[in-house]
Amino acid sequence: SRANIPDLLQVLKSLSLVVALFDKNCEDLYQDIVEIRWELENSEFQNTMVSFLIKLMSSQPFYINRVIDRAMNGLSRSVQPDELIIHHSNIKILQFVSEHLPAHLKFIQQKLNQQFPHKSKPLIEHRTYMRNILQIAKIMPVFFDEVIFTVIEKLVKIDSDVENKSDISPVSELFSFEEDTEIEVAREVELSEAKEKLDKLMSEFLKHMESSTFGGKESEVQMWCKALMVAFNNHLLKAQCHNAPFIVFHFFSLHCQLAGLLLDYFWDTFVEVNNPALVRQIGVMYLAGFANRSKAVSLPNFRKVLLSLGSWCYRYITQNDNSGRKFSHDVFYAASQALFYMFSYRHVELLALPDHQSFLRELNLTSLIHAQLNPLRQCCTAVLEVFDRITSTYEVAMCRVVIERNSRSLSSNRYHNEEYPFRPCTLPSISAIIKPYFRDMQCSNSFVLNKRHHKVSENFEDWDTTMSGSSITALSPCLQAISFD
């Protein structure tokens, strides 16, 4: 008990003098000692405990992993419900191991992930643990990559949990039946708590990332850049989540000089023929989403991306339009739709340039629209309507004839993906952080007036609601069942 702390302090000081005799037979005594929540005691007791445990590890290797496990286990503890503590005593023990017992570094790396609180645990435990392991990454760079991977992996899991709780069950849509009010209320409370947890954790991580890199050393920025790219490839690219991808969005928007690296990564993911078709589609969706939404992507770079995408689509129809080969063209349809989406989203900037006529000719929009592969037929409604309205308003390309012909066709669309990443974030803390770097769509007065005389539905003002969805990987109903585990 806390009343016996002074006595325990004297016991620890005495045991430190005979620690060499602390063999395996003393394991029960050791267990009793470490059950004390020393992280929450006064500094003298903490220092004495740390000194004892360091001496124990130095003289008795049998206890090294046990001490590490106990030190990691204490990183999520707090005194008050809203009090975040940096457990310096635990971190000192881990620092001693990293400096003097390098053979046990891998064990610490494993524990960093394993000891992260389960998503069902209270928010305070998540926040305390995350803050402590980020401190570990700062003090001991050897653990930096593992800490970043662990935090992002856990944020993705919480985000996916939020998405799953937000989704309406297909059973509920098909079979309307009365549910217990208490169950429904409990579900709403659970969803609200999950959203709050994600909002708090991710906003704290974004602030830490910003404070660690903004105005800092170039080596630190490069270290973060490398870790985030690996984490994105391993945990985010194929994840069914909406908010976690804003981690890379914020970093590469904050460090705009590196935005080209992210665009290159998305482009390489898309054009790599050895990648699965689904991954290539995700790559071009991220390319379009980041190029549209991030203020870090300048207009010259945006034009380069758009021209590259247009050239790829034109080469594709040149090689496949009349081939008669029967195979899936979903990657082409994803690229075409991304092209229409990107052009529509930043059309005001593109058409304001003096050389916009020659630029439009290089895009080969007319050839693409009238190709036998018919990308407009496979385009989702939201992109199709806005693209048609813009091209009609500015007489860039005549889509109306093709659209009306498609509407009379009995064949149905196969590609309905509307779930582009980096849609506006609805979580308040995250949204406030990324807002300065987030680009909204612009539109001219002539385009707005043209809506009144257009035949398509009036959904332009609510573009982001129309372009909604819960998973950037759900490219078609049959692909939703694919697991990436």
Side-chain angles (χ1 to χ4, degrees):
S1 66
R2 297 182 65 86
N4 295 327
I5 289 300
D7 295 335
L8 288 172
L9 185 60
Q10 293 301 320
V11 171
L12 281 176
K13 290 180 179 179
S14 300
L15 288 175
S16 297
L17 301 176
V18 293
V19 72
L21 304 176
F22 228 83
D23 57 14
K24 294 182 181 181
N25 296 324
C26 301
E27 189 171 1
D28 290 340
L29 175 59
Y30 164 80
Q31 198 62 40
D32 291 337
I33 293 173
V34 296
E35 281 183 1
I36 303 169
R37 296 164 64 95
W38 81 74
E39 303 91 348
L40 310 181
E41 301 301 335
N42 59 62
S43 58
E44 183 184 7
F45 189 88
Q46 290 184 33
N47 293 334
T48 304
M49 179 65 81
V50 169
S51 176
F52 167 73
L53 292 176
I54 287 178
K55 289 179 180 179
L56 181 62
M57 289 190 294
S58 301
S59 60
Q60 300 292 344
F62 170 77
Y63 288 99
I64 294 176
N65 285 351
R66 287 166 172 75
V67 174
I68 293 173
D69 189 58
R70 174 59 184 83
M72 293 297 303
N73 188 45
L75 292 178
S76 61
R77 292 178 175 172
S78 59
V79 182
Q80 302 296 333
D82 297 324
E83 184 178 5
L84 297 176
I85 302 175
I86 298 295
H87 294 303
H88 296 286
S89 57
N90 302 58
I91 295 175
K92 284 181 182 178
I93 293 173
L94 299 175
Q95 188 172 6
F96 173 82
V97 174
S98 68
E99 293 175 357
H100 302 282
L101 304 169
H104 295 268
L105 291 179
K106 189 173 182 180
F107 184 73
I108 296 179
Q109 291 172 341
Q110 293 172 351
K111 286 296 177 180
L112 283 169
N113 190 293
Q114 294 173 4
Q115 293 290 351
F116 204 102
H118 188 266
K119 61 184 180 181
S120 61
K121 293 293 184 179
L123 172 61
I124 185 64
E125 289 191 22
H126 285 84
R127 294 179 67 191
T128 304
Y129 186 83
M130 187 179 74
R131 179 168 293 193
N132 276 277
I133 62 173
L134 288 174
Q135 182 70 11
I136 289 173
K138 183 177 181 180
I139 297 175
M140 294 168 270
V142 67
F143 299 121
F144 178 82
D145 287 351
E146 191 62 35
V147 167
I148 301 304
F149 299 160
T150 296
V151 172
I152 291 179
E153 179 186 352
K154 301 306 179 181
L155 289 175
V156 167
K157 288 184 177 179
I158 298 173
D159 196 6
S160 299
D161 190 47
V162 169
E163 297 287 350
N164 293 333
K165 286 182 170 64
S166 303
D167 286 346
I168 299 176
S169 169
V171 175
S172 301
E173 292 181 327
L174 291 174
F175 301 96
S176 179
F177 55 88
E178 189 173 348
E179 280 193 347
D180 190 329
T181 304
E182 293 184 1
I183 296 177
E184 188 174 346
V185 171
R187 185 182 296 118
E188 289 297 325
V189 171
E190 190 178 358
L191 174 60
S192 177
E193 290 176 350
K195 286 183 176 179
E196 181 188 9
K197 183 179 293 182
L198 177 63
D199 192 31
K200 295 291 186 182
L201 289 175
M202 189 167 155
S203 60
E204 287 187 19
F205 182 71
L206 292 177
K207 290 176 182 177
H208 175 82
M209 180 175 67
E210 185 171 340
S211 63
S212 300
T213 61
F214 192 70
K217 296 180 180 178
E218 185 66 23
S219 58
E220 293 180 356
V221 176
Q222 293 296 332
M223 185 169 61
W224 272 89
C225 178
K226 180 181 177 181
L228 289 175
M229 292 295 289
V230 174
F232 184 90
N233 189 70
N234 293 342
H235 302 296
L236 283 164
L237 181 64
K238 304 168 188 175
Q240 298 187 21
C241 58
H242 166 48
N243 300 286
F246 277 109
I247 295 173
V248 292
F249 179 96
H250 184 59
F251 177 84
F252 287 96
S253 297
L254 182 66
H255 303 281
C256 55
Q257 74 277 11
L258 300 175
L261 294 177
L262 190 61
L263 291 173
D264 289 343
Y265 167 76
F266 293 147
W267 177 261
D268 292 342
T269 302
F270 160 60
V271 299
E272 177 53 62
V273 294
N274 293 320
N275 283 338
L278 181 59
V279 173
R280 296 179 67 187
Q281 293 171 64
I282 295 172
V284 78
M285 290 166 63
Y286 266 106
L287 179 71
F290 185 74
N292 282 347
R293 303 287 193 176
S294 175
K295 291 182 179 179
V297 181
S298 63
L299 186 58
N301 287 336
F302 182 82
R303 280 175 41 128
K304 290 178 182 177
V305 173
L306 201 59
L307 282 175
S308 298
L309 197 55
S311 299
W312 186 94
C313 291
Y314 182 73
R315 288 196 303 272
Y316 191 94
I317 60 174
T318 302
Q319 297 168 7
N320 296 282
D321 230 14
N322 301 308
S323 65
R325 290 182 291 174
K326 301 293 183 182
F327 59 88
S328 172
H329 298 286
D330 282 348
V331 175
F332 165 73
Y333 291 131
S336 301
Q337 181 172 289
L339 179 67
F340 301 152
Y341 173 41
M342 293 173 66
F343 176 82
S344 302
Y345 200 88
R346 298 184 66 172
H347 73 278
V348 172
E349 298 171 86
L350 294 171
L351 298 178
L353 296 173
D355 63 340
H356 71 273
Q357 293 289 355
S358 60
F359 175 76
L360 291 174
R361 284 194 294 271
E362 289 184 74
L363 279 182
N364 295 300
L365 288 177
T366 301
S367 300
L368 184 60
I369 289 168
H370 294 280
Q372 289 187 19
L373 289 175
N374 200 350
L376 291 181
R377 185 183 63 189
Q378 312 299 336
C379 190
C380 71
T381 303
V383 173
L384 180 64
E385 290 185 0
V386 179
F387 179 71
D388 176 34
R389 195 179 300 157
I390 290 172
T391 53
S392 299
T393 299
Y394 295 100
E395 298 182 354
V396 173
M398 296 297 106
C399 304
R400 176 65 15 205
V401 174
V402 179
I403 293 174
E404 290 180 353
R405 184 176 69 239
N406 291 338
S407 66
R408 295 191 296 268
S409 175
L410 296 178
S411 61
S412 60
N413 291 4
R414 292 170 294 168
Y415 188 86
H416 295 282
N417 183 20
E418 303 178 358
E419 299 152 3
Y420 283 89
F422 307 126
R423 302 186 306 275
C425 181
T426 57
L427 301 180
S429 300
I430 300 174
S431 179
I433 293 173
I434 64 175
K435 185 177 180 180
Y437 310 99
F438 193 84
R439 176 185 286 107
D440 294 313
M441 182 177 176
Q442 298 178 349
C443 101
S444 64
N445 292 333
S446 59
F447 173 72
V448 174
L449 292 172
N450 180 263
K451 292 188 297 175
R452 302 175 184 174
H453 309 290
H454 212 277
K455 296 181 181 179
V456 297
S457 62
E458 299 291 322
N459 68 348
F460 170 74
E461 292 91 341
D462 204 15
W463 173 283
D464 290 308
T465 301
T466 308
M467 299 288 292
S468 64
S470 62
S471 163
I472 57 171
T473 60
L475 303 188
S476 65
C478 64
L479 292 175
Q480 292 181 5
I482 294 180
S483 172
F484 294 94
D485 295 333

